[in-house]
Amino acid sequence: MVVCGHLCTAFVPWLHAPAHSATEAPHLFQLPFFRLAVGGRSAVAIFFLITGYVNSIGPIARSRSGNTEAALSGLARSTLARSGRLVLPTMVATLITWFLANINAYHMTKHVDSTWIRQGWHRQEPTLYKMFTSLVRAEVGTWTTGWDEYDGTQWTLQLFLEGSMMVYLTMLATVLIKPRARKLVFAVLYVYCWISGQGLSIGPLKSLNIITGMFLAELQNEYKDAATSMIPAPIPALMIIFGMFMSSYPQDAPERAAWSNHMCKFMHHFTPKDADVRRYWDSLGASTVLFGIFFSRNARKVLTSPVFNFLGRVSFPVYLMHNTLIKSVLTWMVYLPSAMNPPRNAKGEQMDLQRGSTMHIFIAVGIFYYILYRLASLWVQYIDPACGRVVNAFTKWATGDPPTHNGHAIGNGHAEKPVLLQ
């Protein structure tokens, strides 16, 4: 969904609005539910929900069993290893896009008619000194300023790391208390983050979803598989549908359609002044969908199938690599015919390269997706285990413990999507 959202921004950004204007009928993919196929913002919220869930489910289980010593020991090790599990793969992804930029692989992006792709252009540095200083700046900036000049889509990773530390701190503070008291803590934190939600990192994007994920982990430890028989069958399905509707809130110009305009006005009554209500709807929608899945036996069965397990397993490398491939492989395929005969104006000056026909773009996007998921599969085969071995070796050195020999736990310390749904 994130990749689809960025492809939409690149080639059909008008789909992010609910209609071309207040007086025009909407396109099919501007309507609620359908627009989820081209909108990735709620999927980013799901990443944070899963981060809260996966990083807290183990400590909560040990706390509930009274094994506080194991809970604290696990928190200490997880906190130590978490940075490496996020930082190392991200460093590799940045290294790849840096290399491509400096062999001029992004040259075409500077001249295309897509504003979003053009904004991702990075020059080929003129000297080795500038090449390597820009690499260091990008590697460090991802985790300090939240900006990687070679890949702007990595801005969320700093928030993922902060969110993980928020989980560990909350677990440390609540490991000795009873489950019902911990639920009360989650409720207070949720309200606090809701009313503090002027910034992405404080409220609607990171904190609300992290806290909801922890609450879901509490429910999982309490009810386990019995959760699927607690609520009559239609209700989880209705929750999923309602959550998808809330997640359909448009990224741009909500006033152009009655349904989104009503949602905008409604949310403004309950959010801080100048808050980004889009992120609140994304959070509420994604959370409602996940709770519907949690209580639905059929949804769990579908989402733990081999196909969805594969999609979950490769989701992190897909996220890390998709922008690099959009700026290189996809751009080459879409704009190559125009690049072979660049358009010029009456003065003979080169104009922006023009994309191919709609069919041309669809074929290029299909090939792009195949390459992206093929490379992501290779990533989890080779890059993830290598990064895992480095993290494991460092943790062993720091704690004096023997290595675990499991190098696959990169994204959230576990196989994050399948774990959520099993």
Side-chain angles (χ1 to χ4, degrees):
M1 288 176 66
V2 172
V3 179
C4 284
H6 286 155
L7 292 175
C8 171
T9 306
F11 297 115
V12 280
W14 49 270
L15 285 178
H16 285 314
H20 284 291
S21 70
T23 58
E24 294 183 67
H27 186 277
L28 176 65
F29 287 102
Q30 291 178 311
L31 294 171
F33 302 107
F34 292 100
R35 64 180 304 104
L36 291 175
V38 291
R41 294 168 69 94
S42 58
V44 176
I46 289 175
F47 273 118
F48 284 97
L49 286 161
I50 292 169
T51 296
Y53 178 92
V54 172
N55 285 281
S56 64
I57 190 168
I60 288 174
R62 297 184 188 100
S63 173
R64 280 176 162 266
S65 67
N67 195 354
T68 54
E69 183 177 347
L72 292 170
S73 176
L75 281 172
R77 286 173 172 79
S78 297
T79 306
L80 183 65
R82 177 58 173 162
S83 297
R85 293 191 178 113
L86 269 178
V87 171
L88 287 181
T90 305
M91 288 182 67
V92 174
T94 298
L95 183 66
I96 293 170
T97 189
W98 166 83
F99 174 77
L100 290 174
N102 283 285
I103 61 170
N104 216 20
Y106 298 151
H107 173 73
M108 195 181 293
T109 64
K110 185 181 180 181
H111 305 286
V112 301
D113 64 354
S114 167
T115 302
W116 189 81
I117 293 178
R118 194 166 60 243
Q119 288 172 342
W121 172 79
H122 195 288
R123 69 173 186 172
Q124 182 183 26
E125 297 294 352
T127 65
L128 286 175
Y129 174 77
K130 289 187 176 181
M131 278 176 56
F132 287 102
T133 53
S134 69
L135 175 62
V136 172
R137 189 166 58 244
E139 297 283 18
V140 173
T142 302
W143 308 104
T144 53
T145 64
W147 177 249
D148 180 343
E149 63 188 78
Y150 285 98
D151 189 349
T153 62
Q154 290 188 10
W155 65 272
T156 57
L157 294 171
Q158 181 190 27
L159 301 184
F160 288 141
L161 185 58
E162 290 175 359
S164 300
M165 297 306 157
M166 180 181 177
V167 173
Y168 299 140
L169 182 59
T170 305
M171 291 296 99
L172 179 64
T174 61
V175 71
L176 296 177
I177 66 177
K178 296 179 180 179
R180 60 186 176 187
R182 188 161 44 241
K183 291 176 186 176
L184 178 61
V185 170
F186 292 155
V188 172
L189 284 174
Y190 191 90
V191 172
Y192 171 80
C193 293
W194 181 284
I195 63 178
S196 303
Q198 292 89 345
L200 288 174
S201 61
I202 299 173
L205 177 61
K206 181 185 74 177
S207 302
L208 293 182
N209 296 309
I210 291 290
I211 295 162
T212 303
M214 289 191 287
F215 180 71
L216 191 66
E218 188 77 57
L219 294 183
Q220 172 62 23
N221 275 290
E222 184 168 344
Y223 299 111
K224 298 184 171 31
D225 291 339
T228 59
S229 58
M230 291 178 58
I231 298 177
I235 295 179
L238 292 173
M239 291 173 67
I240 294 172
I241 293 170
F242 185 52
M244 292 173 67
F245 175 78
M246 290 190 286
S247 297
S248 299
Y249 185 82
Q251 180 175 324
D252 300 326
E255 69 280 357
R256 293 182 186 175
W259 65 272
S260 55
N261 192 36
H262 287 312
M263 290 177 71
C264 179
K265 291 179 179 179
F266 177 81
M267 186 58 75
H268 273 301
H269 291 301
F270 301 98
T271 53
K273 184 181 179 182
D274 300 325
D276 185 352
V277 298
R278 300 173 300 178
R279 296 294 182 182
Y280 283 90
W281 282 119
D282 292 338
S283 176
L284 288 176
S287 299
T288 305
V289 168
L290 255 66
F291 277 109
I293 293 169
F294 177 76
F295 289 112
S296 171
R297 180 180 289 106
N298 291 332
R300 289 189 182 208
K301 179 183 289 188
V302 170
L303 294 173
T304 50
S305 67
V307 171
F308 281 99
N309 269 274
F310 169 77
L311 293 176
R313 195 163 58 251
V314 301
S315 61
F316 190 49
V318 164
Y319 187 85
L320 290 177
M321 291 191 296
H322 78 279
N323 191 34
T324 297
L325 292 180
I326 287 175
K327 294 189 298 184
S328 55
V329 175
L330 183 60
T331 298
W332 301 338
M333 290 190 292
V334 170
Y335 291 97
L336 182 60
S338 183
M340 295 173 67
N341 186 24
R344 298 185 181 276
N345 60 22
K347 297 180 180 179
E349 299 168 335
Q350 182 175 330
M351 301 168 62
D352 287 340
L353 300 178
Q354 301 300 304
R355 65 194 69 171
S357 65
T358 301
M359 181 59 67
H360 180 113
I361 293 174
F362 273 119
I363 293 172
V365 167
I367 297 171
F368 158 80
Y369 264 110
Y370 171 78
I371 295 172
L372 175 61
Y373 275 88
R374 189 74 183 97
L375 289 176
S377 179
L378 293 172
W379 183 291
V380 297
Q381 266 185 275
Y382 299 106
I383 306 296
D384 272 2
C387 293
R389 285 192 293 271
V390 173
V391 173
N392 188 36
F394 173 77
T395 306
K396 177 195 173 186
W397 171 82
T399 62
D401 290 342
T404 61
H405 301 296
N406 182 7
H408 295 276
I410 297 297
N412 269 326
H414 300 275
E416 29 190 79
K417 292 358 174 238
V419 167
L420 172 66
L421 300 169
Q422 284 172 350

